[in-house]
Amino acid sequence: MTDFVGDSSEAVNHPAPHPSRTMRLAFFSRLDPGYLVAAVLPLIGIIPTFGDGVIKSADAPLHVHRIFAMTSLLQTGNLWPRWVPWFHLGYGYPVFNFYPPGVFHLGGILGLLGIPIPLAFTLVSALAWMLGSVGTYALARRFLPGYGALLAAMLWAYAPSRLYEIWHQGSLPQMMSAAFVPWVFWGLATAARFPTRRSLLAVGLPLAGMVLTHQPVTLVAGLFIAPAALLLPVLYGWRDRKTLPRRLAAVFGGLILGAGLAAIFLLPMAAELRYIQAAEDAPDVIPYLISNFLQPGELFSQPAPMDLTDLRFELPTTFGLLNGVLGALGLLALVRQRRYTVAALLALALAFNTLMLLEISLPLWERIPFLAQLRFPARLLRVGAVFIALAGGASLLLLPVRWRLVGLGAALALALVSALPLVYPNQRFVNWENLSALDEIRMETVEHNWGTTSYDEFNPIWGEKPGWDPAVEPEEYITDPLRIVVNRLDMIRQWPELQVEQIDSSSVRVTVASARPVRFRQFYFPGWTATLNGQPVEVYPETELGQITIDVPEGEHIITLTYTGTAAQMLGALVTLASLGLSALLAITGRRPQSAADRKITAEDDSLPPRPAAAVLAGVVIFALVNTVYITPQTLWFRHRSPPDSPVYMQTPVHVSFGNTFELLGYTLEQTTAAPGDLLAVTLYWRAQQEIEREYRPVVQLVNLSQTAAWAASEPFFPGGGNTIGYTPDRFASDVHIMRVFQDAPPYAGRISVQMFDAATNEPLHLPDGSDRIILEPLIRIQGRGDTLPSALGYRFDETLELACAGVTRDGDRLHIRLGWLVRQPAGQDVTTFVHGLDANGQQIVQNDTPPLGADYPSSLWLPGQNLLAHHSLPWDEAIESVAVGLYTPDRRLTITQNGQPVPDNRVILPLNEDTCSP
């Protein structure tokens, strides 16, 4: 490679460039423009997230309140807050001690800079999107050329799970933690390949970032990090086994460094977990986990375009069809190029990830510690999105070299088109005027997400009651969110002579006529300290609610409460500080050795060329602008806007009013059969008939035809977490119900029952005809043959049915008859069973004629191969000696044969007290 163009005589006539200029040119020549392009790729999706506030997704409001809390606590000089005094209705909550506070710190810093909290949320979300895109590009560059790595970044940035996170779930910590996943694997590969002191930082920093932002992502990523940490050093050191110890030391040293950097959170979380409710196993964890496994058909589905009129358009949890196709092609390309190791690693990672998404993996979820507590197997999509993006990027290797840039352009366009149905907003934005602690308290009161959690899992274990009573003087939290007040009920109910004066947020002046305990409206937790008139005093929890209690002698006293932390918290902070110091030392002294291989400039051979990089960059920016100023506001491209009374995805209209409050517009039912243990899904479409001011919840069941039993049920809160307040007639809400058919459901047929209940009173809304439910028309068959019956009798009825067994037993004043039917051929019509009690002379004394299975399963619906056990009864009479049974239609009795011989009178005579159906 020459520095000049032309022959040597011309070259010597030019002055030599200054050494500093030469170094700058060399530096810029090593820059890979793909990193910049990867950072900009998410721009098309990011811009729509900036609106009036934050997207009203499931978790976004919670995290806005946490960022506000972090900002407020940082303003007091508390650099690592753990306790939020006004959370949990003013009882206080150790949320930052058990929920990684990384993104809240970042958002809190933005808040300190004067950025509005909702905007800080959106900015951190955008940062996570860009960080993950660049990380995927960096990881892909370990084994792919620039164009393949850029496609991988695109597939990650617009993966359905990423867009689901943005528009549906809104978990800011999960977004950021997922963005660190590719960086962790990049760090593992870096440390295994270049085992230097500085390479420890490549592992430790992103690992700490992941740990300090979201525990579930850390846990599921750990399922892949652990084997990668063992395999990668072995693979890189296979040809030079003397370097294996050094490679292993670099990888595991980096993991240890990451744990040390996160020790400020990890150590107290582990040491103090026993003090909160999350330490106890919740009884509903496994059933809830089972209900959230993906179905095989969901794994690689193409998301449908959004319906902007739908208040609750369900975004899919899937890898995506395009990602699946390109991923498969990429694995094939790697095999064709004989890159078997990379292909095998990606294939194994994707296979295990896919397995863990399906119910077949339940034993693993139950056996791996803490895994079942995650409740949502779809969390693994955040990790799997990295692997399938890497495989998808490799798909370009199938093309000849001269066509790969063209293939890149086509693949980027396809990825964008497949993602656009999920990019456009269908959720409302929510904002707060003068956001304060009172807004968080009001949110808890309305939505019951105590302490900004879903299950109140961080509630301290002290106290017999959870502490859900209304906050005391809540308006005071607007100006003084850190206030800790004396429990005023003590003053009213027990000690009316107790006098209290609030001095500041943490200090009160109390006057008592005699010695007594004083309780504060703040949960007890290790780390609280108190002073009485400047002297330390014991703090302990009272038994009812676990409130901080202090024994106060007679007289006037000043009590000050302070959360000073625990030994585990201080130790964790010291370990993190030491790890930060070590990281700085490694960054300064741990320069990589300049071997010939290390000096190789990737940009010289397979980096993304500058011109294609500029073209992609310009294309992204231009499309983002066109999308913002024209496509989104002026068109309905890539999405729908249904009339509020006619959803585009609704298959069957119903239009039935429930209490003049909600109209069931109709439903979509994709299946009419289900086996016991299988899932049955139905989507209902509701429209408010007036502005809704209360909360309602639907109850959907699969019931038998007589509506006397249910074989599956779904009773979730209405879309929006039970909060129907504010629903208006100009929009509708899709309502997906996924029911698991009970394991003991008989092989009958049923229908779907729909009710709507007032969530507060639990009273059903009535239909115009006075009923409390609607029965949907489609017949739902429960697949299966039923329990095998012993073939003891062998009576054939018209060669369509066989009476395989029977039993007649007496129970008090009733005679119970069991008839075991084996269906040979479809009956084709409904039949009736006659059951006659006969005396010694064969004369009829009593009778009871009914359909074999009553109204639950008419015989015209019976299917060949089914075993059906019917129950009948007769009133007992001492004269009864036997029972005669048979079948008839309105026209005739069915002909009965046994072993090919006709049976007299086409009836079967059964003796008393014999039961051939019992084993």
Side-chain angles (χ1 to χ4, degrees):
M1 185 175 181
T2 60
D3 293 329
F4 304 100
V5 179
D7 59 28
S8 59
S9 62
E10 293 176 332
V12 296
N13 292 328
H14 290 278
H18 192 276
S20 63
R21 180 172 180 270
T22 302
M23 294 177 62
R24 289 196 301 269
L25 291 173
F27 171 77
F28 284 111
S29 69
R30 290 196 299 269
L31 290 181
D32 184 347
Y35 286 97
L36 176 61
V37 180
V40 177
L41 281 179
L43 183 65
I44 298 168
I46 287 174
I47 291 178
T49 66
F50 285 85
D52 183 20
V54 299
I55 302 165
K56 195 178 186 328
S57 53
D59 294 345
L62 305 179
H63 299 311
V64 167
H65 289 299
R66 290 180 182 178
I67 293 175
F68 173 81
M70 182 63 73
T71 303
S72 301
L73 294 167
L74 288 175
Q75 287 173 338
T76 67
N78 187 351
L79 299 182
W80 195 271
R82 301 180 184 273
W83 187 272
V84 183
W86 67 90
F87 277 17
H88 211 292
L89 303 175
Y91 279 104
Y93 214 54
V95 60
F96 295 139
N97 200 52
F98 299 101
Y99 197 108
V103 293
F104 310 122
H105 264 94
L106 187 56
I109 292 171
L110 295 177
L112 291 178
L113 296 175
I115 296 176
I117 301 302
L119 179 58
F121 174 98
T122 307
L123 289 173
V124 175
S125 170
L127 175 62
W129 211 336
M130 298 169 69
L131 180 67
S133 180
V134 175
T136 303
Y137 181 85
L139 177 60
R141 289 293 283 119
R142 284 296 177 198
F143 66 96
L144 289 177
Y147 46 80
L150 192 62
L151 177 57
M154 183 72 172
L155 294 176
W156 182 92
Y158 291 95
S161 59
R162 169 65 34 180
L163 298 169
Y164 175 92
E165 192 73 70
I166 296 294
W167 289 107
H168 185 81
Q169 187 165 359
S171 175
L172 186 62
Q174 188 162 266
M175 296 179 206
M176 183 63 77
S177 193
F180 279 115
V181 170
W183 285 107
V184 172
F185 286 100
W186 172 83
L188 292 173
T190 298
R193 184 179 182 184
F194 305 113
T196 66
R197 284 178 293 173
R198 180 175 286 186
S199 68
L200 272 67
L201 295 175
V203 178
L205 292 179
L207 178 64
M210 185 171 65
V211 172
L212 291 173
T213 49
H214 200 240
Q215 292 153 306
V217 168
T218 301
L219 184 55
V220 297
L223 301 176
F224 302 88
I225 292 172
L230 291 170
L231 284 174
L232 291 177
V234 173
L235 294 174
Y236 278 116
W238 185 256
R239 295 182 180 179
D240 186 3
R241 299 186 182 182
K242 293 180 180 179
T243 65
L244 181 59
R246 186 157 52 94
R247 298 179 193 275
L248 286 169
V251 168
F252 283 92
L255 294 176
I256 294 171
L257 176 63
L261 290 169
I264 192 171
F265 168 74
L266 285 176
L267 279 180
M269 185 271 294
E272 296 164 7
L273 184 64
R274 65 186 186 274
Y275 299 141
I276 58 174
Q277 299 296 335
E280 303 177 3
D281 292 332
D284 64 338
V285 167
I286 297 301
Y288 195 72
L289 171 69
I290 293 174
S291 70
N292 286 309
F293 278 110
L294 272 65
Q295 296 302 298
E298 295 179 273
L299 291 173
F300 300 100
S301 60
Q302 172 58 36
M306 284 187 180
D307 190 332
L308 302 183
T309 313
D310 191 349
L311 287 164
R312 284 289 297 171
F313 185 83
E314 287 285 339
L315 299 183
T317 49
T318 177
F319 283 117
L321 178 61
L322 179 66
N323 293 43
V325 171
L326 293 181
L329 293 175
L331 293 177
L332 175 62
L334 291 169
V335 171
R336 285 188 60 184
Q337 293 205 347
R338 298 183 179 181
R339 304 176 71 174
Y340 301 122
T341 301
V342 177
L345 290 177
L346 287 177
L348 286 173
L350 284 171
F352 180 69
N353 195 293
T354 302
L355 171 71
M356 295 298 289
L357 293 169
L358 301 174
E359 189 174 345
I360 192 175
S361 66
L362 180 61
L364 292 175
W365 285 85
E366 293 178 314
R367 287 172 173 79
I368 298 175
F370 307 112
L371 196 61
Q373 297 291 336
L374 302 187
R375 292 181 170 88
F376 295 98
R379 295 185 192 272
L380 274 98
L381 289 172
R382 279 64 178 179
V383 179
V386 176
F387 302 132
I388 202 165
L390 296 176
S395 64
L396 294 179
L397 298 178
L398 286 174
L399 299 175
V401 174
R402 66 180 181 276
W403 287 104
R404 287 176 182 174
L405 289 178
V406 175
L408 172 63
L412 292 178
L414 279 175
L416 180 60
V417 170
S418 69
L420 282 175
L422 304 182
V423 167
Y424 296 98
N426 79 317
Q427 298 280 35
R428 295 174 293 179
F429 281 75
V430 59
N431 208 341
W432 298 261
E433 184 177 352
N434 299 320
L435 182 65
S436 70
L438 178 60
D439 292 298
E440 192 279 334
I441 293 173
R442 286 174 173 168
M443 179 190 69
E444 291 189 33
T445 304
V446 172
E447 301 187 15
H448 301 166
N449 41 19
W450 316 114
T452 69
T453 64
S454 299
Y455 311 101
D456 200 9
E457 56 264 37
F458 304 147
N459 198 354
I461 59 174
W462 296 275
E464 300 170 354
K465 297 180 180 179
W468 293 339
D469 54 299
V472 177
E473 298 177 348
E475 299 292 336
E476 295 294 324
Y477 286 99
I478 296 176
T479 56
D480 189 7
L482 304 180
R483 62 196 292 263
I484 301 174
V485 300
V486 171
N487 189 320
R488 300 301 175 90
L489 293 179
D490 287 350
M491 301 167 58
I492 298 172
R493 294 185 305 186
Q494 299 186 37
W495 303 303
E497 77 280 4
L498 175 64
Q499 299 179 26
V500 177
E501 176 189 353
Q502 195 81 30
I503 299 175
D504 55 33
S505 298
S506 58
S507 300
V508 295
R509 179 179 287 107
V510 299
T511 303
V512 293
S514 59
R516 67 183 73 261
V518 173
R519 299 186 298 179
F520 289 81
R521 188 183 174 89
Q522 199 77 183
F523 285 138
Y524 171 82
F525 195 81
W528 277 108
T529 60
T531 61
L532 184 70
N533 300 324
Q535 298 299 314
V537 64
E538 180 186 2
V539 174
Y540 64 92
E542 52 86 32
T543 57
E544 183 182 8
L545 295 174
Q547 297 173 98
I548 291 175
T549 306
I550 297 171
D551 292 326
V552 178
E554 176 185 351
E556 180 182 295
H557 310 279
I558 294 178
I559 303 174
T560 300
L561 288 177
T562 308
Y563 190 81
T564 57
T566 63
Q569 294 169 13
M570 288 184 279
L571 177 61
L574 289 175
V575 173
T576 293
L577 286 174
S579 300
L580 285 171
L582 177 60
S583 299
L585 183 64
L586 291 173
I588 295 170
T589 65
R591 294 188 178 276
R592 219 168 70 182
Q594 294 297 304
S595 66
D598 292 339
R599 288 196 302 267
K600 180 181 177 181
I601 301 173
T602 306
E604 290 181 3
D605 49 351
D606 61 359
S607 292
L608 193 66
R611 288 185 178 179
V616 174
L617 188 64
V620 170
V621 173
I622 291 172
F623 186 88
L625 293 175
V626 172
N627 187 52
T628 302
V629 300
Y630 177 70
I631 297 178
T632 299
Q634 302 296 331
T635 77
L636 287 176
W637 297 352
F638 312 108
R639 60 211 192 274
H640 300 289
R641 180 174 282 117
S642 298
D645 61 347
S646 183
V648 67
Y649 293 114
M650 184 178 73
Q651 292 180 345
T652 307
V654 173
H655 297 292
V656 173
S657 174
F658 283 72
N660 292 319
T661 304
F662 283 100
E663 178 186 4
L664 179 61
L665 300 173
Y667 61 90
T668 293
L669 182 65
E670 301 289 352
Q671 62 188 106
T672 56
T673 60
D678 284 355
L679 297 178
L680 177 65
V682 60
T683 302
L684 307 176
Y685 295 88
W686 301 93
R687 181 188 182 191
Q689 294 180 280
Q690 54 190 317
E691 185 171 352
I692 304 300
E693 299 179 351
R694 298 175 63 84
E695 295 180 15
Y696 296 89
R697 63 180 181 89
V699 173
V700 179
Q701 298 173 306
L702 175 62
V703 298
N704 60 6
L705 298 181
S706 62
Q707 302 178 38
T708 58
W711 300 323
S714 172
E715 302 184 28
F717 282 112
F718 198 84
N723 187 7
T724 57
I725 297 173
Y727 278 23
T728 55
D730 61 334
R731 298 182 71 179
F732 66 86
S734 61
D735 177 21
V736 179
H737 291 264
I738 301 177
M739 301 174 283
R740 186 173 295 275
V741 179
F742 301 155
Q743 289 287 353
D744 58 353
Y748 294 178
R751 286 192 167 92
I752 293 176
S753 162
V754 179
Q755 297 173 281
M756 179 67 80
F757 284 81
D758 185 308
T761 65
N762 206 34
E763 292 293 325
L765 302 182
H766 289 85
L767 280 62
D769 62 3
S771 63
D772 67 351
R773 71 189 65 201
I774 183 174
I775 304 297
L776 303 186
E777 185 63 27
L779 199 68
I780 309 297
R781 282 196 175 275
I782 307 299
Q783 296 175 325
R785 294 180 177 272
D787 295 333
T788 302
L789 299 171
S791 297
L793 302 179
Y795 290 101
R796 299 288 183 91
F797 289 69
D798 275 5
E799 297 300 325
T800 59
L801 302 174
E802 177 183 334
L803 182 62
C805 63
V808 180
T809 56
R810 179 186 174 188
D811 183 10
D813 60 354
R814 302 295 297 179
L815 200 61
H816 295 281
I817 299 95
R818 296 200 302 168
L819 302 178
W821 298 102
L822 174 59
V823 183
R824 294 289 181 180
Q825 299 178 25
Q829 59 183 334
D830 291 332
V831 297
T832 302
T833 305
F834 66 79
V835 181
H836 298 165
L838 308 180
D839 62 13
N841 298 319
Q843 298 298 313
Q844 177 180 318
I845 299 174
V846 293
Q847 75 176 72
N848 182 16
D849 293 7
T850 61
L853 294 172
D856 289 342
Y857 193 25
S859 57
S860 58
L861 301 177
W862 293 5
L863 298 176
Q866 288 186 323
N867 298 282
L868 305 171
L869 191 62
H871 296 268
H872 304 267
S873 68
L874 292 171
W876 171 248
D877 191 298
E878 294 291 342
I880 295 177
E881 294 289 337
S882 61
V883 173
V885 299
L887 299 174
Y888 65 89
T889 69
D891 300 327
R892 64 181 182 87
R893 281 189 184 182
L894 270 61
T895 302
I896 306 177
T897 61
Q898 186 182 39
N899 299 322
Q901 300 299 314
V903 174
D905 297 329
N906 289 319
R907 65 178 185 173
V908 177
I909 306 300
L910 303 175
L912 301 184
N913 301 319
E914 287 190 14
D915 190 352
T916 58
C917 291
S918 297

